[in-house]
Amino acid sequence: MSPSLVYLVDDDAAIRDALAWLLRSRSIQSRSWDSAEAFLRDYDATMSGCLILDMRMVGMTGMELYEQLRARGCAMPTIFLTGHGDVPLAVKTLKRGAFDFIEKPFNDNELVDRVLEALQQEESRRWRDADRSQTEERLATLTEREKEVMACILAGKLNKMIADELQIAMRTVEVHRARIFEKMGVRSAVELAQLLSAHSSNGSR
Amino acid sequence: MSPSLVYLVDDDAAIRDALAWLLRSRSIQSRSWDSAEAFLRDYDATMSGCLILDMRMVGMTGMELYEQLRARGCAMPTIFLTGHGDVPLAVKTLKRGAFDFIEKPFNDNELVDRVLEALQQEESRRWRDADRSQTEERLATLTEREKEVMACILAGKLNKMIADELQIAMRTVEVHRARIFEKMGVRSAVELAQLLSAHSSNGSR
DNA sequence: GTGGTTCTTGCGGAAATCCACAATGGCGGC
DNA sequence: GCCGCCATTGTGGATTTCCGCAAGAACCAC
């Protein structure tokens, strides 16, 4: 996976340079783009870190870029910069899930602090995500029948009831059950329930 | 439990009256206070609905009141009103968990929309909370020994292993196990795992 | 001391789970 | 046609769970 870094998108070269210099001086790596369109071209889902987007840019705005990225499944924490912000815009931006909204000119230390917070949040999110996607992959290896049986197991049904419901022999249910445990990497129905409870509760957030 | 309503705190009588009238005209019930201190005196944990707080008041500010209420476990969604807001204040307020931050003068329809959203959020939160506290109550009825055994069950251990670990007879474990299920209102270890997984994942939010 | 709660244990049987060994039939790809 | 994957089933036995019946010991409260 890519290491965490700061992705900086601003059409003002002076700001880009100043920010890159600032971050570099605190040993934070960054990469810069001069337009939303340019970043969107380079973006790929393996990127990890935080975004710093200028709100008002020629062409696509920072907010539009943000929405595009979210639509593509990007969940990186995002700090917006603006030269002409107002309260309603700030509120709207944060309610859409932005990590922060900062007016230019900004205080260097404060910005760096926000960036570090964002990077840390991203870090923990990635860990959770890794667990989630592993579970996801394992779920994907289950056959249709196995998923049906698993649903019954999670509903707390006994093998006998499952057999009855799916119109198959108990022995078959047992085979499925064993294979589900094996594929999902658990050793009991309890572990399975915990794995999937955690999985769905994080996923629906 | 109290029905949902809007709790309005503002030291400006004109605003209070205007808001109360506005809400009433949309069939939304509200109650008003003229200071943070006055509300804090009347506050009790059974109140449910949403808060509308003026940011700047003589004496305790809206933000201070908000923090006080949070400290007391109040989780009502809160809309802040401000006559002299700026972007950093708006950002700080939202990042502390406010539901919205609205400048005066406000648009009537918009405000009502926010209030309705807040009330709806509160509604669903209350449902989740009710489930949580029921589980909490049930957990409280477990004896120490039962909690120990439950921990083992959730760790996926077999009765035999539990008996070994706690240095008691298998039969004793079985008794505890049955009583745990009975007290927690579940009928299998799987249901127990699901109940507690959901419980802790909502609780740590 | 009586009564209630909790923790403990044993016996014995019904029911369920787990598992190795063994096997059949369908389906799609090479 | 052969191979692999999937779903299916059976037998039989070891292991585990579930539960009623019965009961002893510790502890605390009234």
Side-chain angles (χ1 to χ4, degrees), chain B residues 131-132 135-136 139 194-204:
Chain B
D131 286 351
R132 257 244 311 281
T135 301
E136 211 86 65
L139 276 177
Q194 287 170 333
L195 185 69
L196 293 184
S197 289
H199 178 257
S200 59
S201 74
N202 286 335
S204 66

Side-chain angles (χ1 to χ4, degrees), chain B residues 110-150:
Chain B
E110 205 171 311
L111 183 78
V112 170
D113 286 348
R114 291 298 100 72
V115 167
L116 291 175
E117 281 172 28
L119 288 175
Q120 194 168 334
Q121 178 188 293
E122 168 75 351
E123 190 69 19
S124 53
R125 193 192 60 77
R126 280 183 87 195
W127 281 108
R128 279 197 304 276
D129 250 38
D131 286 351
R132 257 244 311 281
S133 65
Q134 189 190 34
T135 301
E136 211 86 65
E137 280 170 30
R138 288 175 175 179
L139 276 177
T141 69
L142 296 181
T143 65
E144 279 311 305
R145 205 48 156 171
E146 283 162 359
K147 284 179 193 166
E148 284 182 275
V149 173
M150 188 176 73

Side-chain angles (χ1 to χ4, degrees), chain B residues 38-93:
Chain B
F39 181 74
L40 215 43
R41 273 195 298 278
D42 289 353
Y43 173 75
D44 77 280
T46 71
M47 288 178 173
S48 169
C50 86
L51 291 165
I52 299 181
L53 307 184
D54 186 33
M55 259 298 178
R56 185 176 304 183
M57 291 186 281
V58 291
M60 190 183 288
T61 68
M63 194 66 220
E64 285 163 358
L65 171 58
Y66 178 74
E67 299 287 5
Q68 285 276 323
L69 291 171
R70 282 287 187 268
R72 293 198 194 177
C74 169
M76 281 192 266
T78 304
I79 297 169
F80 282 95
L81 296 182
T82 175
H84 312 276
D86 55 26
V87 169
L89 180 63
V91 170
K92 195 177 83 173
T93 304

Side-chain angles (χ1 to χ4, degrees), chain A residues 113-166:
Chain A
D113 285 348
R114 294 295 102 70
V115 168
L116 291 175
E117 281 173 29
L119 288 174
Q120 194 169 334
Q121 178 187 294
E122 168 75 351
E123 190 69 19
S124 55
R125 194 193 60 76
R126 281 183 86 196
W127 281 107
R128 280 197 304 274
D129 250 38
D131 287 350
R132 259 245 308 285
S133 65
Q134 188 190 35
T135 302
E136 210 87 66
E137 280 169 31
R138 288 175 175 178
L139 276 176
T141 68
L142 296 181
T143 65
E144 278 310 306
R145 206 48 154 172
E146 284 162 358
K147 284 179 194 166
E148 286 183 274
V149 174
M150 189 175 73
C152 292
I153 293 173
L154 293 177
K157 290 171 186 158
L158 297 180
N159 285 353
K160 187 198 277 190
M161 299 162 69
I162 300 174
D164 210 56
E165 199 170 309
L166 299 182

Side-chain angles (χ1 to χ4, degrees), chain A residues 3-194:
Chain A
S4 280
L5 62 138
V6 174
Y7 301 88
L8 181 53
V9 185
D10 196 318
D11 59 358
D12 181 343
I15 299 276
R16 285 201 305 277
D17 292 346
L19 270 172
W21 179 86
L22 170 63
L23 293 173
R24 183 167 190 74
S25 76
R26 311 294 174 98
S27 307
I28 301 170
Q29 294 188 51
S30 69
R31 284 180 63 193
S32 300
W33 283 262
D34 62 5
S35 75
E37 290 83 354
F39 181 75
L40 216 43
R41 272 195 299 278
D42 289 353
Y43 173 74
D44 77 280
T46 70
M47 287 178 174
S48 168
C50 87
L51 291 165
I52 299 182
L53 307 184
D54 186 32
M55 259 297 179
R56 185 177 303 182
M57 291 187 281
V58 290
M60 189 183 289
T61 68
M63 194 66 219
E64 285 163 358
L65 171 58
Y66 178 75
E67 299 287 5
Q68 285 276 324
L69 291 171
R70 282 288 187 268
R72 293 197 193 178
C74 169
M76 280 192 267
T78 304
I79 296 169
F80 282 95
L81 296 182
T82 176
H84 312 276
D86 55 27
V87 168
L89 179 63
V91 170
K92 196 177 83 174
T93 304
L94 288 180
K95 290 185 84 174
R96 288 197 191 175
F99 184 80
D100 213 328
F101 185 93
I102 298 176
E103 288 177 302
K104 290 190 271 196
F106 47 81
N107 174 288
D108 281 3
N109 289 326
E110 207 170 309
L111 183 79
V112 170
D113 285 348
R114 294 295 102 70
V115 168
L116 291 175
E117 281 173 29
L119 288 174
Q120 194 169 334
Q121 178 187 294
E122 168 75 351
E123 190 69 19
S124 55
R125 194 193 60 76
R126 281 183 86 196
W127 281 107
R128 280 197 304 274
D129 250 38
D131 287 350
R132 259 245 308 285
S133 65
Q134 188 190 35
T135 302
E136 210 87 66
E137 280 169 31
R138 288 175 175 178
L139 276 176
T141 68
L142 296 181
T143 65
E144 278 310 306
R145 206 48 154 172
E146 284 162 358
K147 284 179 194 166
E148 286 183 274
V149 174
M150 189 175 73
C152 292
I153 293 173
L154 293 177
K157 290 171 186 158
L158 297 180
N159 285 353
K160 187 198 277 190
M161 299 162 69
I162 300 174
D164 210 56
E165 199 170 309
L166 299 182
Q167 292 286 298
I168 52 182
M170 259 189 62
R171 186 66 185 91
T172 310
V173 177
E174 288 170 22
V175 172
H176 286 316
R177 191 189 188 93
R179 203 173 305 281
I180 289 167
F181 288 174
E182 188 192 341
K183 284 185 178 178
M184 296 303 293
V186 298
R187 279 164 52 241
S188 69
V190 173
E191 281 182 45
L192 184 67
Q194 288 171 333

Side-chain angles (χ1 to χ4, degrees), chain B residues 143-146 168-169 171-172 175-176:
Chain B
T143 65
E144 279 311 305
R145 205 48 156 171
E146 283 162 359
I168 52 181
R171 186 66 185 92
T172 310
V175 173
H176 285 316

Side-chain angles (χ1 to χ4, degrees), chain B residues 1-43:
Chain B
M1 279 244 222
S2 323
S4 278
L5 62 137
V6 174
Y7 302 88
L8 181 52
V9 184
D10 196 317
D11 59 357
D12 181 343
I15 299 276
R16 286 201 305 275
D17 292 346
L19 269 172
W21 179 87
L22 170 64
L23 294 172
R24 182 166 190 75
S25 76
R26 311 295 173 96
S27 307
I28 301 169
Q29 295 189 53
S30 67
R31 283 179 65 193
S32 300
W33 284 260
D34 63 4
S35 73
E37 290 83 354
F39 181 74
L40 215 43
R41 273 195 298 278
D42 289 353
Y43 173 75

